[in-house]
Amino acid sequence: MPSNALLHRLGLPAPLLLGYAGVLLFMIGDGVESNYLSPFLEGEGFTPGHVAMTISTYGVFVAVGSWLAGALSALLGPRRVMLYGAITWIGPELLLLAWAIPSGSATLVTVFYGVRGIGYPFFAYAFLVWITQATPDHQRGTSVGWFWFVFGAGLPTLGSLVASATIPVVGEFGTFWISTALVALGALTALAGVRDLTHAGPAPQDERRSPLRELARGITILRLPRVAVGAFVRLVNTAPNFALFVVAPVYFTRTIGFSQHTYLLLVTCVYTANVFANLAFGIIGDRLGWRRTVTWFGCVLCAAGLLLLYYVPQLTGPNFCITLLCWGVFGIGLAGFVPLTALMPGLVRPADSANALAVYSLAAGLSAFVGPALVGLLGGAAHMTALIWTFVALYLVAAALSLALDSPTDPVHHRSPRPAEAEPAH
């Protein structure tokens, strides 16, 4: 076990170390299916329309779970919410594998897979709240960078690698069971291993709001303009990424010409770069400034990366190295948004920091719905040009709006934090 001094220098809160490990294992399990679920369900006899409905329903539950993760963490404490997340993931997954898929019922598949969407946001984003509560301002960018490091290492990076290794051995269906075991192991590691009791329970409340009012505050706080802008920027961050999970397996195998195995290896390599970039941009944000990093290394770089990813492989064909470089620009750009996690709590008064993170998590979850929904709205892989240019436009709009995300806790100001925006009148 590394010493506390070393962990402090690395920006890792020592009491939460096994929590990071647990999130890594949990997200590996969650990410196993990310790049073969759609073709698998179609191969089982489900229509493309049913598959799209299932994934969209999943996205809705992810969005709800993402919002509730932050709000409930303030009310119940992050540890309890993480436990509920593990139960909500594993239970529906067992029903999905043992009953829904073998029965051939599109309704059951949609219900169980959809409900399972609450699981990973509860588990992962509750731990993110735990991190922001346990980490001082000057180190927060690096600490959340480590969170996104382990999150991205699992979904989809190492998850796709596990899939590419196990599908030839145990098949696609057997690989689902392996993913379930990984999720259970990750939950056990985090819940049994984290010993920080100071921040494990409900956050202290300066105002004794009722539980319903506290949950509502996780939405009404969007009345603050900068919070709304931050939520929009977070939504734009990963919506194209979730869209690619739907169309990229079809586009790159059937249109560009990659084999499934090569495509999964390509995804693994791209998101390996993203994983290390998550950590790097957490550190860079603590030095260059959180808002600057989000604007230039997040929004602008992602817009450029999408254009490269779409147009260059059309010219070069299934060239692994060239496609990897192009997709890598986009993957690294996704990591440029990491400091937004540290930025959001500084946009509100300290008592509302958990609610700001609830809105942040809601936007993150909505991106899992908005991305696939836009795929369906714009016609799927057959209309990739419209999809790509839509997402490029969204990134450029987000870049312009992000200029308003100025927080006194941003390291670029080199001053002590203070409340950034007054409470609106009730």
Side-chain angles (χ1 to χ4, degrees):
M1 182 75 68
S3 68
N4 287 356
L6 175 60
L7 292 174
H8 179 76
R9 286 196 296 271
L10 292 174
L12 276 166
L16 303 183
L17 181 62
L18 288 179
Y20 284 95
V23 170
L24 172 62
L25 289 169
F26 192 103
M27 297 313 298
I28 290 173
D30 188 77
V32 163
E33 72 195 29
S34 59
N35 280 284
Y36 82 89
L37 178 66
S38 296
F40 169 79
L41 290 178
E42 290 184 22
E44 290 292 307
F46 298 97
T47 68
H50 286 148
V51 173
M53 176 62 70
T54 297
I55 294 175
S56 295
T57 302
Y58 174 83
V60 171
F61 277 93
V62 168
V64 173
S66 298
W67 166 55
L68 289 175
L72 289 177
S73 291
L75 287 174
L76 306 175
R79 172 173 281 171
R80 187 178 297 180
V81 177
M82 290 175 72
L83 173 61
Y84 295 159
I87 294 171
T88 310
W89 200 104
I90 295 170
E93 180 75 356
L94 294 176
L95 292 171
L96 178 72
L97 299 180
W99 181 18
I101 293 176
S103 74
S105 169
T107 300
L108 289 177
V109 169
T110 299
V111 169
F112 292 136
Y113 187 71
V115 171
R116 205 205 76 184
I118 294 176
Y120 96 71
F122 267 30
F123 189 85
Y125 296 148
F127 185 66
L128 180 59
V129 172
W130 204 340
I131 293 169
T132 59
Q133 291 175 348
T135 308
D137 288 342
H138 72 274
Q139 198 180 49
R140 190 178 297 145
T142 304
S143 296
V144 299
W146 278 107
F147 169 83
W148 291 114
F149 177 89
V150 298
F151 185 98
L155 177 67
T157 314
L158 293 177
S160 293
L161 184 61
V162 169
S164 67
T166 59
I167 287 174
V169 179
V170 300
E172 293 177 330
F173 197 78
T175 296
F176 283 117
W177 288 103
I178 292 174
S179 73
T180 306
L182 287 169
V183 166
L185 179 60
L188 181 63
T189 300
L191 294 171
V194 175
R195 301 300 182 186
D196 173 32
L197 300 180
T198 304
H199 306 94
Q205 295 297 320
D206 295 334
E207 300 177 11
R208 297 299 177 185
R209 304 185 182 110
S210 69
L212 287 178
R213 189 179 179 192
E214 190 64 35
L215 289 174
R217 183 63 178 152
I219 293 293
T220 59
I221 199 172
L222 280 167
R223 289 179 295 175
L224 300 177
R226 287 187 292 176
V227 173
V229 168
F232 175 78
V233 173
R234 180 61 186 87
L235 175 68
V236 172
N237 174 195
T238 47
N241 199 44
F242 283 106
L244 287 177
F245 287 168
V246 178
V247 297
V250 176
Y251 178 76
F252 281 100
T253 57
R254 299 180 187 174
T255 302
I256 301 301
F258 287 103
S259 67
Q260 183 194 53
H261 175 78
T262 304
Y263 169 76
L264 289 173
L265 182 59
L266 178 66
V267 170
T268 300
C269 293
V270 167
Y271 289 96
T272 297
N274 169 262
V275 163
F276 288 99
N278 283 334
L279 179 57
F281 281 122
I283 298 170
I284 290 169
D286 281 344
R287 289 158 175 76
L288 180 65
W290 296 334
R291 199 274 303 161
R292 289 177 182 171
T293 304
V294 169
T295 300
W296 297 105
F297 292 104
C299 301
V300 174
L301 194 60
C302 277
L306 276 178
L307 293 174
L308 290 172
L309 173 62
Y310 178 58
Y311 285 105
V312 172
Q314 292 183 32
L315 300 175
T316 61
N319 185 301
F320 184 90
C321 293
I322 292 177
T323 304
L324 176 61
L325 289 173
C326 295
W327 204 337
V329 173
F330 175 70
I332 290 171
L334 290 173
F337 289 85
V338 160
L340 185 61
T341 315
L343 189 61
M344 287 291 285
L347 301 177
V348 298
R349 63 181 190 171
D352 274 326
S353 61
N355 288 316
L357 283 172
V359 168
Y360 172 93
S361 300
L362 171 62
L366 278 174
S367 70
F369 168 75
V370 171
L374 283 174
V375 169
L377 183 65
L378 296 175
H383 297 84
M384 282 291 286
T385 303
L387 266 175
I388 293 298
W389 279 101
T390 297
F391 289 129
V392 167
L394 284 173
Y395 277 126
L396 295 180
V397 171
L401 291 176
S402 71
L403 299 176
L405 297 178
D406 185 48
S407 165
T409 60
D410 194 322
V412 75
H413 294 302
H414 301 291
R415 64 178 185 231
S416 299
R418 57 175 174 78
E421 192 161 345
E423 172 81 354
H426 294 286

